Each structure stands twice: as C-alpha cells, then as structure tokens.
Amino acid sequence: RWHTMSQSLLDNWSEEGCAAAISEAAASPADPSAPNPLKVVLHDLSSAVVRGALEPERLVTVLSDVALVDRALLPRVQSDLADIFWFLGLRIEAEKSDEDGDGAPKQQLLALVAALLQAELVAPELLKARLDPEMLQEAGLVASHADFHRAQVRLNTRALYTQQKYNLLREGSEGYSKLVTELAELPAGPRDGTSTRGCTRAAEVVANVQSLIGYFDLDPNRVLDLVLEALEAVPSRASHRSLVELFNPQYLPHVLGFKFQFYKGEAEATPLSLYALCGLLLKQGAVELEQVLPHLEPSLPKLREMHAADVARQVAAAKRIGSVLFGDAKPAPAEEAEAEAEADGGAARMQPLGVLSALLQLREWGSASRLMELLDGVDVASYPPVGAALCRIVDFLTKPAYATVSVGARLLPSKEVQKPPAPAAAEARLRPEGVPTALRLPRAPFAAVVS
C-alpha cells in the first residue's frame, strides 16, 4: 500500500500530497511483522532523488514547511532519514559498476544530504553517528575519514574498555582509608561503645559508605571485600543487613568464595571467624548454600572419598588391636603417627564441615540439614567440631525436660535451673511448635548424633 502511494505521489507530484502521505504514514500504527510505514515513504522519496526522478529541493521544501509537516514529527523524520541515507549509501556502493563510472546516484544522495543540512532538517551529530566515515568526508561533515575513524576508535575504547578503577600503582589511599575508618564506626550492638563519634545507627554508616564509593570512585568488589572483613572481625555487625544489601547479590558468593579459596593448599587452616561469617550470611539469606559449596575445598565427592579412606584406616587399626605382628608386617610407629597427623590435619581443612559446624553453632538447622543431606555417606558427627555442636543442640533440646529434676536443680535450686529461659526465635525453630519439648522432640539432631 505505501509503495503504491509513493509511486502515485511521484507520478502526480504536489507538496500537499507529499506532506499528507508523510503525516498519514507517521500516524499509522506500526506492525512488527511489516516495515515501518514512515520509513517506507521516506525511503521511496529518497530513492527517487537518487535515481534523478525527483529534485532534492522539492523534498526539502515539503519537510521545511511548517504548515505542511507537523514539527512534532521532525525528530522521527530526522532519525529515519539518517538510517535511510546509510542504507542507500551501502546499496550504491554494492551496485557500483564500470558502466556507472560517473557516480551520479552517489552525487544525488550527497546533494540531498547537503540540502537537508543547509535547511537544518537533519542534525550533523546524528549523521556522524549513523553514516560511514567515507560518506561523511564526501558530504563535508569531516575533514578526513581516516582521522575520524581513529578518533571514533579512541572514543569507544575510552568509553567501553578503559577501567575507571585504581590499580595497585595508583591507589586511592584516601578513599579506602576513610572507608576503613567508617566501617569501624559500625555499631556492634545496641550498647556498643566502639564508635569514636558515638554512632548508634547503622543507617548513618551505610549512607557514608555509599557516599565514599561514589565520591572516590572506589571499586565495589574491593569495598565488598573490606565490608566482609569488618563483619568477620566483629560478627555481631552482620545483623545490619542494609550494609551488605548495598552490593549486587550475585557477586557476594564469589567474593566470599575467594576468601575460602585463599586457604586452599595453605599450611594455615581456615579461620573459625570466616566459617562464622559464612554461617551468618547463610542464616540471613544473603547467600544460598548452593552458591557457596562450589568454592569450598574439598568438593563433596572428594570429601566422601577422604572420609571412606579415613574409615578404612581406622578399621585396619582396630583389627590390629590384640594381634601380634612380626617382622615386616608390623607398621612403623612413625608411619602410624604420620597417617594420624595427616587425618587430623585434613579434618581441620575440610571447609564444608567447618561451614556445617558454624551453622550448627548458630542453630541454623535449615541450612545445616540440607548440607548434611548433601554429605550423605559422611559421618559428620565423627568430626569433633561438628559432633560437639550437635551435642550442644541435643543438650538445648533436652534441657527443659530434665532441668527440674537434675542434680544441679537439687543442690543449687534457682529460678534459672527450675525454669529455663524461653528460647530465642532462631532456637525455637528446632522445637515442634506448640508441643512441650519433654513430650515430643525432633528426631533429626538425635539421628545425626546417633548415626
């Protein structure tokens, strides 16, 4: 339809008819499966100019007449014309042949561009963004297409690839020093006295940290690393979730996992404070268990293999008890001591078990139970930190049942022993809701200990 209208318009040219066609095409609803009506009409008119069937001045007169074309359509017309000029330029270059050595179509296109620029119907900046450098030079918009291309490459590189971050040789020491000082002001509790300026609200520190990131252009990943260091040093600060929520939650597991990977293969064992930080973040829902596990060492399949080898070693040692070995059959004491030391040291470096121990100490039974399910085949209670944490949970669950009849209650009667305090909200989740602990206890913690 629109091609037919354009052809009819060219056969019986009138400025009013051309303006009416442009306005009708612009008002027509766009169909995603069909070409844009306004672009079709403008393309047919521009192609007629390139073929020499229409003078450039006629089209410029229609577009520049305020009475014919609404000024509100001018931005759309400018953008569409820039795209059409780019397309026509490519088509002319593709159809160039020896028979068309005079380059008349290209000259007609350049004449149309020059006439529109002179009438200020197309912005030069728009054409510089859409047209090829060679065509810009031919249209007189740039002095040299080679220089323009080089400047364009430098601009794109500076905008897209140059890192706006300080490296180790150009350190933003002032920004990071102020950041560390501000993190030290984060209150650790309701009656915390560590703040030098008497800060009692975490929102004030969070706002200042956000301002420092923007003012000094600090790397958000490095800032997140320092925030986790501050929370690891004082775990009670992790209750201020708004500080961690400043950062992209997709990057938090990677930064936390990088801290665990730092101790991979090191002689120094992973610190307990890092396990506690990971447990707190899991308890708050800031990270998911499945996001942290890929960063822990050893992997779960490797941990099962190590546990099976340790069990086999212990079974072999147990079978040798009471037996008399002679000659070469008797293992050297140094080898036995080395194997035991290796087993004990390996247990201290099993990061999944360290995270499990921290979760149990925090009584985050939801994440702990999921991790124990993933560790199927591993006797987690056989490792001292995990076993001790499970025993403390069992003691917490059974304490109200025997507190009033225990030896301590008879010898040292007190309100605390006779009536244990109500459990906290996090601890109460371990107990069946609405049922006395002495009558009905959850089986999972006991099963983990007994197994």
Side-chain angles (χ1 to χ4, degrees):
R1 174 197 172 189
W2 300 106
H3 288 292
T4 304
M5 179 184 294
S6 301
Q7 185 61 40
S8 176
L9 182 63
L10 292 173
D11 294 338
N12 303 294
W13 176 262
S14 68
E15 296 179 356
E16 293 78 6
C18 180
I22 294 175
S23 301
E24 184 180 354
S28 177
D31 185 2
S33 61
N36 185 280
L38 181 58
K39 282 190 175 182
V40 171
V41 173
L42 293 176
H43 173 268
D44 291 343
L45 295 176
S46 301
S47 298
V49 174
V50 171
R51 296 193 309 268
L54 179 66
E55 293 80 2
E57 292 76 11
R58 288 191 174 186
L59 181 57
V60 173
T61 302
V62 174
L63 296 177
S64 60
D65 194 339
V66 180
L68 296 177
V69 178
D70 189 2
R71 295 296 92 181
L73 296 179
L74 192 57
R76 287 185 58 188
V77 172
Q78 288 183 348
S79 179
D80 291 347
L81 283 175
D83 292 337
I84 292 168
F85 294 158
W86 168 80
F87 176 75
L88 290 177
L90 293 181
R91 193 180 70 180
I92 291 172
E93 291 296 329
E95 296 176 352
K96 208 172 197 181
S97 61
D98 296 336
E99 291 79 12
D100 190 23
D102 55 352
K106 189 65 170 290
Q107 296 302 322
Q108 289 291 107
L109 178 60
L110 294 176
L112 176 59
V113 172
L116 291 172
L117 286 172
Q118 185 177 2
E120 298 182 355
L121 293 176
V122 178
E125 293 77 11
L126 184 61
L127 295 179
K128 289 180 181 179
R130 306 283 179 89
L131 301 185
D132 292 335
E134 293 81 0
M135 189 172 180
L136 291 175
Q137 179 179 346
E138 294 173 352
L141 291 173
V142 296
S144 171
H145 69 87
D147 294 341
F148 177 78
H149 178 69
R150 283 193 293 268
Q152 191 177 31
V153 171
R154 286 196 298 268
L155 180 62
N156 291 336
T157 302
R158 190 180 303 113
L160 301 177
Y161 300 104
T162 302
Q163 295 185 357
Q164 302 295 331
K165 302 175 183 177
Y166 292 110
N167 55 30
L168 296 178
L169 299 178
R170 189 166 174 256
E171 185 66 68
S173 56
E174 181 182 358
Y176 286 106
S177 62
K178 289 181 181 295
L179 174 65
V180 173
T181 304
E182 193 63 34
L183 291 175
E185 300 292 333
L186 191 66
R191 297 183 179 180
D192 177 52
T194 58
S195 176
T196 58
R197 63 170 185 259
C199 179
T200 59
R201 295 175 61 253
E204 177 184 345
V205 177
V206 172
N208 292 339
V209 169
Q210 193 171 11
S211 299
L212 289 173
I213 295 174
Y215 185 81
F216 289 99
D217 195 17
L218 303 181
D219 183 2
N221 294 330
R222 296 187 62 189
V223 174
L224 177 58
D225 182 68
L226 292 175
V227 168
L228 294 181
E229 291 283 350
L231 300 182
E232 181 183 351
V234 185
S236 59
R237 290 173 174 167
S239 59
H240 307 300
R241 301 182 58 177
S242 56
L243 181 59
V244 178
E245 291 174 352
L246 277 178
F247 306 92
N248 192 330
Q250 297 179 353
Y251 299 149
L252 180 57
H254 300 287
V255 177
L256 181 63
F258 182 78
K259 291 180 171 294
F260 279 104
Q261 291 178 0
F262 175 78
Y263 297 96
K264 178 181 178 180
E266 296 289 332
E268 182 183 0
T270 306
L272 298 179
S273 58
L274 183 56
Y275 290 133
L277 173 64
C278 182
L280 286 170
L281 294 176
L282 287 169
K283 184 177 182 179
Q284 293 178 356
V287 295
E288 297 293 335
L289 182 62
E290 290 72 13
Q291 295 175 321
V292 178
L293 287 178
H295 301 281
L296 302 183
E297 180 70 20
S299 61
L300 299 187
K302 181 66 175 178
L303 182 58
R304 295 190 188 94
E305 295 178 4
M306 295 173 64
H307 177 73
D310 185 52
V311 170
R313 182 187 61 81
Q314 294 181 11
V315 170
K319 288 181 178 180
R320 290 196 300 267
I321 296 176
S323 61
V324 179
L325 302 177
F326 299 96
D328 296 338
K330 185 177 181 180
E335 295 179 0
E336 288 187 348
E338 183 179 354
E340 293 180 359
E342 183 180 353
D344 295 339
R349 290 175 176 80
M350 292 181 180
Q351 293 177 344
L353 296 177
V355 173
L356 176 59
S357 176
L359 291 171
L360 292 173
Q361 291 176 14
L362 294 170
R363 297 184 182 164
E364 175 55 29
W365 185 250
S367 299
S369 61
R370 288 207 314 274
L371 182 53
M372 285 192 288
E373 291 175 0
L374 295 174
L375 289 171
D376 184 29
V378 178
D379 184 11
V380 295
S382 63
Y383 294 91
V386 179
L390 284 169
C391 289
R392 283 193 290 270
I393 290 181
V394 172
D395 178 69
F396 161 73
L397 290 172
T398 57
K399 187 174 183 180
Y402 66 80
T404 56
V405 294
S406 64
V407 177
R410 298 182 200 174
L411 299 180
L412 301 172
S414 63
K415 295 181 179 179
E416 288 76 10
V417 175
Q418 295 176 2
K419 295 182 179 180
E427 300 172 348
R429 287 184 293 177
L430 291 173
R431 296 177 173 167
E433 186 175 355
V435 181
T437 308
L439 300 179
R440 195 173 160 195
L441 296 172
R443 298 180 180 179
F446 296 93
V449 176
V450 173
S451 62

